């Protein structure tokens, strides 16, 4: 029996070179915390550029007995994935996010560069250590006066699990992204339908 368990553990911890697709989405609990204003700020999310140093996946899982698996998002387009998540987050927080090309006049146009979106998982005896990092440079252009607000949204997270599961990585990364997005809301204020930094 012990030998059988050891064999299963050995197989389970050996790398196969597979790609592990991560399904990223915001937790529904985040959306329930917001009371939407009667006249929300109208925002268009423009292009988010993938400016990461390495654009080959999101990172790797290092297996206990050698070999690695690779993390990625479906379609290998993390910047587009982050833009979609940012849209969902701002909508849940009461902002009115317009589609590009909408005939409705936007108050703010958001663009940016994805500087980092990484996941690392290292299997050790008895647990797997997971770490995630995100960094997104955001530029908000106010349509009414062409003024620009710039900020960088950083996020980090880590967790140790006894038995590795893809959903554990997804949960940590989703939480880190939501936390970094919250800084856009916390560090800005709306003044006459323009976005301003709270400390400016």
């Amino acid at each position: 029996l012990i030998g059988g368990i050891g064999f299963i553990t050995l197989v389970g911890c050996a790398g196969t070179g597979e790609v592990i697709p991560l399904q990223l989405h915001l937790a529904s609990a985040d959306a329930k915390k917001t009371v939407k204003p009667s006249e929300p700020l109208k925002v268009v999310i423009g292009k988010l550029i993938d400016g990461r140093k390495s654009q080959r996946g999101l990172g790797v899982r290092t297996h206990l007995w050698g070999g690695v698996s690779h993390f990625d998002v479906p379609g290998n387009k993390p910047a587009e994935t982050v833009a979609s998540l940012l849209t969902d987050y701002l909508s849940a927080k009461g902002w009115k996010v317009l589609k590009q090309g909408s005939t409705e006049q936007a108050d703010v146009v958001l663009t940016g560069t994805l500087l980092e979106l990484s996941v690392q998982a290292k299997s050790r005896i008895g647990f797997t250590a997971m770490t995630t990092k995100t960094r997104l440079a955001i530029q908000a252009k106010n349509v009414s006066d062409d003024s620009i607000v710039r900020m960088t949204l950083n996020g980090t997270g880590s967790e140790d699990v006894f038995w590795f599961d893809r959903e554990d990585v997804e949960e940590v990364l989703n939480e880190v992204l939501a936390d970094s997005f919250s800084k856009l809301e916390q560090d800005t204020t709306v003044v006459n339908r323009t976005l301003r930094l709270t400390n400016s």
Side-chain angles (χ1 to χ4, degrees), residues 21-95:
L22 300 180
Q23 304 295 331
L24 303 182
H25 57 83
L26 296 180
S28 58
D30 291 335
K32 296 178 181 179
K33 298 177 182 178
T34 299
V35 177
K36 295 185 178 181
S38 57
E39 294 186 16
L41 195 69
K42 299 176 182 178
V43 179
V44 167
I45 296 181
K47 187 175 182 61
L48 289 188
I49 300 171
D50 189 350
R52 296 173 300 148
K53 292 182 179 179
S54 174
Q55 299 184 5
R56 299 181 60 183
L58 303 186
V60 299
R61 176 194 175 194
T62 304
H63 295 260
L64 181 60
W65 304 110
V68 298
S69 298
H70 303 271
F71 296 113
D72 208 341
V73 293
N76 189 27
K77 295 181 179 180
E80 292 185 12
T81 299
V82 170
S84 178
L85 292 172
L86 181 58
T87 297
D88 293 342
Y89 180 88
L90 294 179
S91 297
K93 294 299 181 180
W95 302 38

Side-chain angles (χ1 to χ4, degrees), residues 121-142:
K122 185 174 181 60
S123 292
R124 305 176 187 272
I125 297 176
F127 72 99
T128 296
M130 303 179 300
T131 59
T132 63
K133 294 182 180 179
T134 66
R135 190 179 181 207
L136 177 64
I138 286 289
Q139 175 175 290
K141 181 178 180 180
N142 293 303

